Amino acid sequence: MSQVIIVDETNTLICHKEKSEVQVEDIFRVSACIIQNSEGKYLLAQRSLKKKNKPWLWAYAAEGTLSKWESYESNILSKLESEIGLRWVILEKLYTKRRYWVHTFFHEVYFMKLDQDIEDFTINSSEVEQMRWFTKEEISEKEFEWYPISKKLQRDIDFLERGTESDY
């Protein structure tokens, strides 16, 4: 099992815990990557049905909880390679923000530009069910609600495009 980094309210390391032992009150670290192509579309990955948390949710192209000894950047680079087959990429850090959900976590979000056909990704089926390029409008449209989409991803795309978060 992998050990998760547990931090305090200021994102300072407290200890490491086995992932199965993380409690609701524990604060941990997560990294994520937003990928946009030259047409302005965003690459979303649908979480595998095999995932314990939020199977089938459309979310970031890659996202992961940091394990012992990982930095935010090393974690997201590892997730990009292991989940969708991307290596040797250049990322821009957008920000680190404390997020509140079932758990509280510090979320460091990265951005990159990439033009690549879906068929050219190497998808890890234990992590990702499928991938697709979406326009901002498709992500925001009401009729798209039957596809559950990560609300934090929608906020991050709004931030990227407008410099402010939406009211999702």
Side-chain angles (χ1 to χ4, degrees), residues 76-87:
I76 197 58
L77 289 170
S78 172
K79 294 298 177 188
L80 285 165
E81 183 174 358
S82 68
E83 293 179 9
I84 62 174
L86 288 180
R87 294 175 54 177

Side-chain angles (χ1 to χ4, degrees), residues 9-133:
E9 296 79 14
T10 64
N11 201 10
T12 301
L13 175 68
I14 297 174
C15 65
H16 301 96
K17 285 187 176 182
E18 293 297 328
K19 197 168 191 172
S20 62
E21 296 174 5
V22 173
Q23 302 295 309
V24 172
E25 62 273 8
D26 290 327
I27 304 170
F28 51 91
R29 294 175 178 166
V30 175
S31 64
C33 186
I34 297 172
I35 300 176
Q36 185 182 44
N37 67 16
S38 59
E39 296 174 6
K41 293 182 178 181
Y42 294 95
L43 182 66
L44 273 60
Q46 187 179 38
R47 292 172 59 88
S48 171
L49 180 59
K50 302 168 192 160
K51 297 294 283 182
K52 179 181 173 185
N53 296 317
K54 302 181 196 111
W56 289 84
L57 179 75
W58 284 93
Y60 299 89
E63 184 175 34
T65 302
L66 276 68
S67 297
K68 189 175 184 178
W69 310 118
E70 284 187 308
S71 67
Y72 285 103
E73 188 173 18
S74 68
N75 174 269
I76 197 58
L77 289 170
S78 172
K79 294 298 177 188
L80 285 165
E81 183 174 358
S82 68
E83 293 179 9
I84 62 174
L86 288 180
R87 294 175 54 177
W88 313 111
V89 297
I90 298 173
L91 301 173
E92 174 189 342
K93 177 182 162 185
L94 294 180
Y95 55 78
T96 305
K97 181 176 187 169
R98 190 171 173 180
R99 302 267 189 174
Y100 304 88
W101 193 248
V102 174
H103 290 274
T104 301
F105 56 96
F106 282 91
H107 198 223
E108 190 156 289
V109 179
Y110 292 86
F111 172 76
M112 68 178 287
K113 288 278 198 179
L114 179 72
D115 287 309
Q116 186 167 312
D117 292 330
I118 295 298
E119 304 80 38
D120 296 332
F121 288 96
T122 304
I123 297 174
N124 177 345
S125 63
S126 66
E127 297 289 333
V128 176
E129 197 64 34
Q130 62 178 317
M131 297 173 63
R132 184 177 142 201
W133 292 102

